[in-house]
Amino acid sequence: MAEKKLPKYKTYDAVCLRSIKNVIDVFGGKWAFLVLEQLHLGTMRFSELSKALEVSTKSLTDTLRHLEQNGIIKRQVIPTVPVTVEYSLTEKGRAFDTVLLAMKEWSSKWL
């Protein structure tokens, strides 16, 4: 029996959907995009992020930990009393700018 060839768009869709799933695994948390937005303004301390986002300590901690584990943000501990922790975007996190700008353009046009 002859092998059925899928239309070109079907292959593209499968690759695209797999990529989207991977991105959602990294950025899919409720607070991830809002944390990215804040960190695009510059390096911030935990308390600054917490105030800016009005988020619970647990939710922010979980989001920051997840983004750090995925190489999107960098956590720097400064040995002060009490300890100061600062967060900033990594090169990988900054590279997501193009996606965020595309989302902004789409939103401006359609929402």
Side-chain angles (χ1 to χ4, degrees):
M1 184 175 223
E3 187 176 315
K4 188 176 178 182
K5 244 185 162 175
L6 291 175
K8 188 174 185 175
Y9 71 88
K10 292 285 187 187
T11 304
Y12 173 79
D13 286 346
V15 170
C16 186
L17 291 175
R18 198 171 315 117
S19 297
I20 290 169
K21 182 210 173 291
N22 293 338
V23 170
I24 289 172
D25 288 345
V26 174
F27 296 103
K30 179 178 179 179
W31 296 101
F33 284 107
L34 298 175
V35 168
L36 283 178
E37 175 188 36
Q38 289 299 311
L39 292 179
H40 276 283
L41 301 174
T43 298
M44 295 183 82
R45 294 179 177 177
F46 184 92
S47 60
E48 294 170 327
L49 283 167
S50 183
K51 277 184 201 168
L53 298 174
E54 298 180 1
V55 59
S56 74
T57 299
K58 182 185 180 336
S59 293
L60 182 55
T61 299
D62 290 347
T63 299
L64 292 169
R65 192 171 288 142
H66 181 75
L67 292 172
E68 183 185 12
Q69 289 169 349
N70 284 282
I72 304 301
I73 64 171
K74 182 177 103 179
R75 178 180 187 264
Q76 181 177 3
V77 178
I78 300 165
T80 57
V81 178
V83 172
T84 303
V85 180
E86 293 184 337
Y87 295 90
S88 59
L89 291 173
T90 61
E91 182 180 349
K92 183 177 178 181
R94 289 220 173 268
F96 201 67
D97 280 355
T98 54
V99 176
L100 295 174
L101 291 172
M103 290 171 68
K104 178 185 174 195
E105 288 177 27
W106 183 89
S107 174
S108 294
K109 183 175 181 177
W110 298 103
L111 300 179

